[in-house]
Amino acid sequence: MTVSLETTFSNARVLITGHTGFKGAWLSAWLISLGAKVCGYSRDIPTTPSLFELSGLAGEIEHHIGDVRDLEKLSGVIQSFRPDFVFHLAAQAIVSVSYDDPLETITSNVIGTAHVMEALRKVDWPCHAVIITSDKCYDNVEWVWGYRETDALGGKDIYSGSKGAAELIFRSYFHSFFQGKNHSVRLATARAGNVIGGGDWAANRIVADCIRAWGDGKTVEIRSPAATRPWQHVLEPLSGYLTLAQALSLSDRLNGQSYNFGPRAEQNRTVVDLIGSLGNIWQLEEGLAPYEVTGNIPFHEASLLKLNCDKALLDLNWEANLKYEECADMTGSWYRRVLKGKEQALSVTLEQIASFTKLARDRELVWTADR
Protein backbone atom coordinates (compact mmCIF):
# COMPACT_ATOMS: atom_id res chain seq x y z
CA MET A 1 0.00 0.00 0.00
CA THR A 2 1.19 3.52 -0.80
CA VAL A 3 0.28 6.61 1.20
CA SER A 4 -0.63 9.94 -0.38
CA LEU A 5 1.52 13.02 0.09
CA GLU A 6 -1.46 14.72 1.77
CA THR A 7 -1.61 11.95 4.37
CA THR A 8 2.12 12.18 5.06
CA PHE A 9 2.63 15.95 5.18
CA SER A 10 -0.63 17.31 6.57
CA ASN A 11 0.28 18.94 9.92
CA ALA A 12 3.88 17.70 9.56
CA ARG A 13 6.66 20.04 10.65
CA VAL A 14 8.96 20.58 7.66
CA LEU A 15 12.21 22.57 7.58
CA ILE A 16 13.62 23.72 4.24
CA THR A 17 17.09 25.19 3.86
CA GLY A 18 17.29 27.45 0.82
CA HIS A 19 13.55 28.12 0.97
CA THR A 20 13.90 31.56 -0.64
CA GLY A 21 15.40 30.14 -3.84
CA PHE A 22 13.53 29.03 -6.94
CA LYS A 23 13.07 25.37 -5.99
CA GLY A 24 12.74 26.19 -2.30
CA ALA A 25 9.86 28.58 -2.93
CA TRP A 26 8.00 26.05 -5.09
CA LEU A 27 8.56 23.37 -2.42
CA SER A 28 7.33 25.73 0.31
CA ALA A 29 4.17 26.48 -1.66
CA TRP A 30 3.52 22.80 -2.32
CA LEU A 31 3.96 21.86 1.33
CA ILE A 32 1.65 24.69 2.41
CA SER A 33 -0.97 23.31 0.02
CA LEU A 34 -0.55 19.89 1.66
CA GLY A 35 -1.21 21.38 5.09
CA ALA A 36 2.35 21.21 6.41
CA LYS A 37 3.84 23.61 8.95
CA VAL A 38 6.88 24.98 7.13
CA CYS A 39 10.03 26.56 8.54
CA GLY A 40 12.56 28.08 6.17
CA TYR A 41 16.25 28.85 6.69
CA SER A 42 18.10 30.83 3.99
CA ARG A 43 20.96 33.29 3.82
CA ASP A 44 19.09 35.91 1.79
CA ILE A 45 16.64 36.54 -1.03
CA PRO A 46 18.86 35.42 -3.92
CA THR A 47 17.28 37.32 -6.83
CA THR A 48 15.26 40.43 -7.60
CA PRO A 49 12.49 39.78 -8.38
CA SER A 50 12.01 36.47 -6.59
CA LEU A 51 9.23 33.92 -6.49
CA PHE A 52 9.48 33.88 -2.69
CA GLU A 53 8.79 37.60 -2.37
CA LEU A 54 6.22 37.81 -5.17
CA SER A 55 4.27 34.99 -3.52
CA GLY A 56 4.37 36.52 -0.04
CA LEU A 57 5.66 33.27 1.39
CA ALA A 58 7.37 34.96 4.36
CA GLY A 59 3.90 35.52 5.80
CA GLU A 60 2.87 31.90 5.27
CA ILE A 61 5.74 30.11 7.04
CA GLU A 62 8.25 30.46 9.88
CA HIS A 63 10.93 32.44 8.05
CA HIS A 64 14.58 32.57 9.20
CA ILE A 65 17.51 34.37 7.59
CA GLY A 66 20.71 32.49 8.28
CA ASP A 67 23.68 30.89 6.54
CA VAL A 68 24.16 27.10 6.54
CA ARG A 69 27.81 27.86 7.26
CA ASP A 70 26.68 29.22 10.65
CA LEU A 71 26.41 25.91 12.48
CA GLU A 72 25.30 27.39 15.81
CA LYS A 73 22.38 29.30 14.28
CA LEU A 74 21.36 26.44 11.99
CA SER A 75 21.40 23.96 14.88
CA GLY A 76 19.43 26.36 17.03
CA VAL A 77 16.65 26.66 14.46
CA ILE A 78 16.48 22.89 14.00
CA GLN A 79 16.43 22.24 17.74
CA SER A 80 13.75 24.88 18.29
CA PHE A 81 11.48 23.89 15.40
CA ARG A 82 11.95 20.11 15.86
CA PRO A 83 11.07 19.17 12.27
CA ASP A 84 9.60 15.84 11.21
CA PHE A 85 11.17 16.38 7.77
CA VAL A 86 14.17 18.34 6.49
CA PHE A 87 14.87 19.26 2.86
CA HIS A 88 18.35 20.68 2.38
CA LEU A 89 18.39 22.85 -0.75
CA ALA A 90 20.60 25.74 0.39
CA ALA A 91 23.53 26.04 -2.01
CA GLN A 92 25.45 28.23 -4.40
CA ALA A 93 23.62 26.94 -7.47
CA ILE A 94 24.97 28.97 -10.40
CA VAL A 95 27.80 27.46 -12.48
CA SER A 96 29.07 30.85 -13.71
CA VAL A 97 29.34 32.15 -10.13
CA SER A 98 31.57 29.19 -9.23
CA TYR A 99 34.18 30.53 -11.68
CA ASP A 100 33.98 34.02 -10.22
CA ASP A 101 34.05 32.90 -6.58
CA PRO A 102 35.14 29.28 -6.21
CA LEU A 103 35.61 29.42 -2.44
CA GLU A 104 32.08 30.74 -1.93
CA THR A 105 30.79 27.78 -3.94
CA ILE A 106 32.93 25.22 -2.10
CA THR A 107 32.14 26.49 1.39
CA SER A 108 28.43 26.86 0.69
CA ASN A 109 27.98 23.51 -0.98
CA VAL A 110 30.47 21.35 0.91
CA ILE A 111 30.85 22.92 4.37
CA GLY A 112 27.16 23.89 4.32
CA THR A 113 26.19 20.26 3.71
CA ALA A 114 28.55 19.13 6.46
CA HIS A 115 26.89 21.58 8.86
CA VAL A 116 23.44 20.25 8.01
CA MET A 117 24.66 16.71 8.64
CA GLU A 118 26.29 17.78 11.91
CA ALA A 119 23.09 19.52 13.04
CA LEU A 120 21.08 16.41 12.17
CA ARG A 121 23.54 14.29 14.16
CA LYS A 122 22.32 16.07 17.31
CA VAL A 123 18.63 15.41 16.57
CA ASP A 124 17.06 13.01 19.09
CA TRP A 125 13.50 12.75 17.70
CA PRO A 126 12.20 10.95 14.58
CA CYS A 127 13.25 13.03 11.59
CA HIS A 128 13.60 12.29 7.88
CA ALA A 129 15.97 14.33 5.73
CA VAL A 130 16.52 14.64 1.99
CA ILE A 131 19.85 16.22 1.03
CA ILE A 132 19.56 17.68 -2.46
CA THR A 133 22.74 17.87 -4.52
CA SER A 134 22.70 17.87 -8.35
CA ASP A 135 23.07 15.76 -11.47
CA LYS A 136 26.41 17.60 -11.80
CA CYS A 137 27.79 15.42 -8.98
CA TYR A 138 28.68 12.70 -11.50
CA ASP A 139 31.99 12.43 -13.33
CA ASN A 140 30.51 13.46 -16.67
CA VAL A 141 32.17 11.74 -19.64
CA GLU A 142 29.24 12.80 -21.88
CA TRP A 143 28.13 9.33 -22.81
CA VAL A 144 24.72 8.85 -24.38
CA TRP A 145 23.07 6.83 -21.61
CA GLY A 146 21.92 8.07 -18.23
CA TYR A 147 24.08 8.07 -15.12
CA ARG A 148 23.09 5.64 -12.37
CA GLU A 149 23.44 6.24 -8.66
CA THR A 150 26.40 3.81 -8.56
CA ASP A 151 28.41 5.67 -11.22
CA ALA A 152 31.53 7.59 -10.27
CA LEU A 153 31.25 10.99 -8.63
CA GLY A 154 33.50 13.74 -9.85
CA GLY A 155 33.62 17.16 -11.41
CA LYS A 156 35.75 18.91 -14.01
CA ASP A 157 34.71 22.34 -12.75
CA ILE A 158 34.30 23.89 -9.30
CA TYR A 159 30.51 23.68 -9.21
CA SER A 160 30.44 20.01 -10.22
CA GLY A 161 33.26 19.21 -7.84
CA SER A 162 31.42 20.87 -4.96
CA LYS A 163 28.35 18.73 -5.64
CA GLY A 164 30.41 15.53 -5.85
CA ALA A 165 32.13 16.51 -2.60
CA ALA A 166 28.77 17.16 -0.91
CA GLU A 167 27.75 13.60 -1.80
CA LEU A 168 30.99 12.29 -0.27
CA ILE A 169 30.37 14.29 2.90
CA PHE A 170 26.89 12.79 3.10
CA ARG A 171 28.25 9.27 2.61
CA SER A 172 30.98 9.61 5.24
CA TYR A 173 28.60 11.16 7.80
CA PHE A 174 26.00 8.49 7.15
CA HIS A 175 28.40 5.60 7.65
CA SER A 176 30.00 7.24 10.67
CA PHE A 177 26.89 8.35 12.57
CA PHE A 178 23.54 7.38 11.00
CA GLN A 179 23.94 3.78 9.95
CA GLY A 180 21.79 1.20 11.67
CA LYS A 181 18.63 1.62 13.71
CA ASN A 182 20.07 3.44 16.72
CA HIS A 183 19.77 6.97 15.34
CA SER A 184 16.53 8.97 15.18
CA VAL A 185 17.25 10.38 11.72
CA ARG A 186 16.81 8.63 8.38
CA LEU A 187 18.23 10.39 5.38
CA ALA A 188 19.01 10.12 1.67
CA THR A 189 20.36 12.26 -1.17
CA ALA A 190 18.51 13.37 -4.29
CA ARG A 191 20.07 14.32 -7.62
CA ALA A 192 18.34 16.31 -10.36
CA GLY A 193 19.13 18.97 -12.93
CA ASN A 194 17.98 21.02 -15.93
CA VAL A 195 15.04 22.28 -13.90
CA ILE A 196 12.83 25.00 -15.34
CA GLY A 197 9.57 26.61 -14.26
CA GLY A 198 7.90 29.90 -13.49
CA GLY A 199 9.52 32.29 -11.04
CA ASP A 200 13.18 31.58 -11.80
CA TRP A 201 15.21 34.79 -12.15
CA ALA A 202 18.70 33.41 -11.49
CA ALA A 203 21.58 34.66 -13.62
CA ASN A 204 22.78 32.65 -16.61
CA ARG A 205 19.76 30.36 -16.76
CA ILE A 206 18.18 30.11 -20.16
CA VAL A 207 14.53 30.60 -19.16
CA ALA A 208 15.27 33.53 -16.86
CA ASP A 209 17.53 35.11 -19.50
CA CYS A 210 14.76 34.81 -22.10
CA ILE A 211 12.08 36.37 -19.89
CA ARG A 212 14.35 39.25 -18.84
CA ALA A 213 15.30 40.03 -22.43
CA TRP A 214 11.84 39.63 -23.97
CA GLY A 215 10.24 41.61 -21.15
CA ASP A 216 12.52 44.51 -22.14
CA GLY A 217 11.76 44.04 -25.85
CA LYS A 218 15.25 42.67 -26.51
CA THR A 219 16.71 39.59 -28.18
CA VAL A 220 18.22 37.08 -25.76
CA GLU A 221 21.89 36.17 -26.19
CA ILE A 222 22.71 32.46 -25.98
CA ARG A 223 26.01 30.61 -25.96
CA SER A 224 25.31 27.04 -27.06
CA PRO A 225 22.19 26.79 -29.25
CA ALA A 226 22.69 23.11 -30.09
CA ALA A 227 23.32 21.99 -26.50
CA THR A 228 20.82 19.28 -25.59
CA ARG A 229 19.26 19.02 -22.14
CA PRO A 230 16.61 16.76 -20.59
CA TRP A 231 14.44 19.70 -19.47
CA GLN A 232 12.08 19.06 -16.59
CA HIS A 233 9.58 21.23 -14.78
CA VAL A 234 10.50 22.06 -11.20
CA LEU A 235 7.53 20.06 -9.88
CA GLU A 236 8.99 16.83 -11.28
CA PRO A 237 12.04 16.60 -8.97
CA LEU A 238 10.04 18.12 -6.10
CA SER A 239 7.53 15.28 -6.40
CA GLY A 240 10.52 12.95 -6.17
CA TYR A 241 11.93 14.70 -3.08
CA LEU A 242 8.55 14.52 -1.35
CA THR A 243 8.08 10.86 -2.29
CA LEU A 244 11.59 10.02 -1.05
CA ALA A 245 11.01 11.79 2.28
CA GLN A 246 7.72 9.96 2.63
CA ALA A 247 9.40 6.60 1.96
CA LEU A 248 12.05 7.34 4.59
CA SER A 249 9.29 7.99 7.13
CA LEU A 250 7.61 4.67 6.39
CA SER A 251 10.65 2.38 6.43
CA ASP A 252 14.37 2.31 7.25
CA ARG A 253 15.07 0.29 4.09
CA LEU A 254 16.16 3.35 2.07
CA ASN A 255 18.23 5.00 4.78
CA GLY A 256 21.53 6.26 3.34
CA GLN A 257 20.54 5.78 -0.30
CA SER A 258 20.83 8.18 -3.24
CA TYR A 259 18.25 8.74 -5.98
CA ASN A 260 18.12 10.37 -9.40
CA PHE A 261 15.03 12.32 -10.43
CA GLY A 262 14.77 13.19 -14.09
CA PRO A 263 12.23 13.63 -16.88
CA ARG A 264 10.88 11.20 -19.43
CA ALA A 265 13.45 9.99 -21.98
CA GLU A 266 11.84 11.97 -24.80
CA GLN A 267 12.32 15.28 -22.93
CA ASN A 268 15.73 15.91 -24.53
CA ARG A 269 15.58 19.13 -26.53
CA THR A 270 18.11 21.69 -27.69
CA VAL A 271 18.36 25.15 -26.21
CA VAL A 272 16.88 26.53 -29.44
CA ASP A 273 13.93 24.13 -29.20
CA LEU A 274 13.17 25.38 -25.69
CA ILE A 275 13.49 29.03 -26.71
CA GLY A 276 11.09 28.43 -29.59
CA SER A 277 8.52 26.83 -27.29
CA LEU A 278 8.78 29.62 -24.72
CA GLY A 279 8.66 32.33 -27.37
CA ASN A 280 5.40 30.98 -28.74
CA ILE A 281 3.82 30.87 -25.29
CA TRP A 282 5.16 34.32 -24.28
CA GLN A 283 3.86 35.76 -27.58
CA LEU A 284 6.90 37.70 -28.73
CA GLU A 285 6.55 41.16 -30.18
CA GLU A 286 6.26 41.13 -33.96
CA GLY A 287 9.67 41.52 -35.57
CA LEU A 288 11.64 40.66 -32.41
CA ALA A 289 14.23 37.92 -33.03
CA PRO A 290 13.94 35.48 -30.14
CA TYR A 291 17.70 34.90 -29.82
CA GLU A 292 21.15 35.56 -31.17
CA VAL A 293 24.25 33.45 -30.67
CA THR A 294 27.18 35.06 -28.92
CA GLY A 295 30.73 33.78 -29.15
CA ASN A 296 31.27 34.58 -25.48
CA ILE A 297 31.55 31.25 -23.68
CA PRO A 298 33.27 32.22 -20.41
CA PHE A 299 33.18 28.76 -18.82
CA HIS A 300 33.00 25.08 -19.72
CA GLU A 301 29.53 23.66 -20.29
CA ALA A 302 28.83 19.96 -20.84
CA SER A 303 26.95 19.24 -24.03
CA LEU A 304 25.17 16.18 -22.66
CA LEU A 305 24.19 14.95 -19.19
CA LYS A 306 21.18 12.83 -18.36
CA LEU A 307 20.11 10.56 -15.53
CA ASN A 308 18.89 6.99 -15.28
CA CYS A 309 15.92 7.01 -12.88
CA ASP A 310 15.19 3.27 -12.76
CA LYS A 311 16.11 3.08 -9.07
CA ALA A 312 13.48 5.69 -8.15
CA LEU A 313 10.89 3.72 -10.11
CA LEU A 314 11.90 0.41 -8.48
CA ASP A 315 12.22 1.61 -4.87
CA LEU A 316 9.75 4.52 -4.74
CA ASN A 317 7.29 3.82 -7.55
CA TRP A 318 8.20 7.33 -8.72
CA GLU A 319 8.13 8.35 -12.36
CA ALA A 320 8.03 11.66 -14.14
CA ASN A 321 4.66 13.13 -15.01
CA LEU A 322 4.90 15.74 -17.77
CA LYS A 323 5.57 15.56 -21.48
CA TYR A 324 7.95 18.13 -22.93
CA GLU A 325 5.13 20.26 -24.34
CA GLU A 326 3.38 20.32 -20.95
CA CYS A 327 6.63 21.28 -19.21
CA ALA A 328 7.26 24.16 -21.61
CA ASP A 329 3.63 25.32 -21.46
CA MET A 330 3.54 25.41 -17.65
CA THR A 331 6.80 27.35 -17.59
CA GLY A 332 5.95 29.92 -20.24
CA SER A 333 2.37 30.41 -19.13
CA TRP A 334 3.44 31.14 -15.53
CA TYR A 335 5.54 34.10 -16.69
CA ARG A 336 2.92 35.29 -19.16
CA ARG A 337 0.12 35.17 -16.60
CA VAL A 338 2.12 36.79 -13.77
CA LEU A 339 4.14 39.37 -15.73
CA LYS A 340 1.78 40.20 -18.58
CA GLY A 341 -1.56 39.22 -17.07
CA LYS A 342 -0.73 40.64 -13.63
CA GLU A 343 -2.17 37.57 -11.87
CA GLN A 344 -1.05 36.82 -8.31
CA ALA A 345 2.15 34.75 -8.28
CA LEU A 346 1.07 32.54 -5.37
CA SER A 347 -2.32 31.85 -6.95
CA VAL A 348 -0.76 30.81 -10.27
CA THR A 349 1.85 28.71 -8.47
CA LEU A 350 -0.73 26.86 -6.35
CA GLU A 351 -2.97 26.39 -9.39
CA GLN A 352 -0.11 24.80 -11.32
CA ILE A 353 0.72 22.52 -8.38
CA ALA A 354 -2.92 21.40 -8.26
CA SER A 355 -3.00 20.86 -12.04
CA PHE A 356 0.26 18.91 -11.95
CA THR A 357 -1.04 16.67 -9.17
CA LYS A 358 -4.40 16.11 -10.90
CA LEU A 359 -2.66 15.17 -14.13
CA ALA A 360 -0.47 12.70 -12.25
CA ARG A 361 -3.55 11.19 -10.62
CA ASP A 362 -5.33 10.94 -13.97
CA ARG A 363 -2.27 9.09 -15.28
CA GLU A 364 -2.44 6.84 -12.19
CA LEU A 365 1.09 7.59 -11.03
CA VAL A 366 1.54 5.64 -7.81
CA TRP A 367 2.87 8.50 -5.65
CA THR A 368 -0.31 10.58 -5.99
CA ALA A 369 -2.91 8.81 -3.85
CA ASP A 370 -3.73 6.24 -1.21
CA ARG A 371 -4.07 2.80 -2.79
Side-chain angles (χ1 to χ4, degrees):
M1 176 179 176
T2 59
V3 179
S4 70
L5 297 181
E6 290 89 344
T7 299
T8 298
F9 291 102
S10 179
N11 294 314
R13 302 177 68 81
V14 184
L15 185 139
I16 304 171
T17 71
H19 68 296
T20 58
F22 167 54
K23 288 168 74 175
W26 273 94
L27 181 57
S28 297
W30 195 342
L31 284 163
I32 290 168
S33 75
L34 294 172
K37 299 173 182 177
V38 179
C39 174
Y41 183 93
S42 291
R43 183 178 66 178
D44 54 23
I45 309 297
T47 63
T48 302
S50 76
L51 175 59
F52 182 81
E53 288 189 317
L54 284 177
S55 300
L57 288 170
E60 302 291 331
I61 67 173
E62 184 178 319
H63 172 50
H64 294 272
I65 293 296
D67 197 314
V68 287
R69 292 169 295 186
D70 184 342
L71 178 58
E72 182 178 358
K73 185 169 186 178
L74 173 65
S75 295
V77 171
I78 290 176
Q79 289 292 324
S80 174
F81 185 68
R82 295 180 65 86
D84 304 304
F85 296 93
V86 172
F87 294 92
H88 172 47
L89 286 83
Q92 194 301 96
I94 308 300
V95 174
S96 59
V97 172
S98 72
Y99 283 88
D100 296 332
D101 197 341
L103 289 181
E104 165 75 13
T105 302
I106 291 168
T107 56
S108 294
N109 297 353
V110 184
I111 302 303
T113 298
H115 282 178
V116 171
M117 298 296 289
E118 180 66 15
L120 289 172
R121 189 165 72 92
K122 306 298 175 58
V123 165
D124 60 0
W125 61 88
C127 183
H128 315 93
V130 176
I131 310 299
I132 289 88
T133 61
S134 169
D135 60 348
K136 306 301 187 296
C137 70
Y138 291 106
D139 183 16
N140 185 12
V141 295
E142 300 197 32
W143 56 32
V144 296
W145 50 86
Y147 289 89
R148 299 166 299 174
E149 290 83 352
T150 53
D151 284 324
L153 302 173
K156 296 181 178 65
D157 60 87
I158 293 296
Y159 178 77
S160 301
S162 73
K163 292 301 186 178
E167 287 279 353
L168 293 174
I169 289 294
F170 169 84
R171 185 181 301 173
S172 59
Y173 255 88
F174 172 75
H175 286 289
S176 297
F177 305 113
F178 297 93
Q179 199 170 19
K181 299 183 179 181
N182 295 326
H183 202 281
S184 305
V185 178
R186 298 175 188 161
L187 64 182
T189 68
R191 304 162 181 174
N194 302 296
V195 175
I196 62 176
D200 185 8
W201 277 280
N204 293 311
R205 285 187 180 155
I206 186 59
V207 173
D209 288 348
C210 286
I211 298 304
R212 272 190 292 266
W214 298 341
D216 291 337
K218 298 178 181 178
T219 295
V220 68
E221 294 185 350
I222 62 173
R223 298 180 300 271
S224 306
T228 300
R229 298 287 185 269
W231 308 105
Q232 64 175 328
H233 191 272
V234 61
L235 292 176
E236 299 279 35
L238 294 187
S239 71
Y241 304 164
L242 291 168
T243 302
L244 177 54
Q246 176 190 65
L248 288 168
S249 73
L250 296 174
S251 169
D252 64 1
R253 183 174 62 90
L254 307 183
N255 195 20
Q257 296 291 311
S258 297
Y259 288 90
N260 292 334
F261 297 103
R264 297 166 177 238
E266 68 271 18
Q267 297 287 87
N268 277 17
R269 294 291 194 282
T270 66
V271 169
V272 167
D273 289 336
L274 179 63
I275 291 174
S277 298
L278 294 175
N280 289 335
I281 298 162
W282 177 260
Q283 300 172 350
L284 286 172
E285 298 174 19
E286 186 175 353
L288 178 65
Y291 71 91
E292 63 180 358
V293 180
T294 175
N296 178 27
I297 304 178
F299 51 86
H300 168 75
E301 292 182 293
S303 61
L304 180 64
L305 173 60
K306 60 181 180 178
L307 300 178
N308 179 313
C309 302
D310 290 347
K311 185 179 177 185
L313 176 61
L314 178 65
D315 288 356
L316 304 172
N317 288 313
W318 179 88
E319 54 187 317
N321 182 17
L322 300 177
K323 301 174 184 177
Y324 166 77
E325 292 77 14
E326 294 165 337
C327 168
D329 181 69
M330 285 183 68
T331 300
S333 64
W334 191 100
Y335 288 104
R336 189 188 69 239
R337 291 173 64 184
V338 172
L339 299 183
K340 287 187 171 182
K342 305 302 180 183
E343 295 184 49
Q344 293 296 313
L346 183 58
S347 296
V348 176
T349 299
L350 292 173
E351 181 185 315
Q352 289 198 340
I353 290 169
S355 297
F356 176 86
T357 304
K358 182 181 183 302
L359 188 60
R361 286 198 180 107
D362 291 345
R363 289 172 172 162
E364 298 185 341
L365 301 190
V366 175
W367 57 264
T368 60
D370 292 313
R371 296 180 186 275

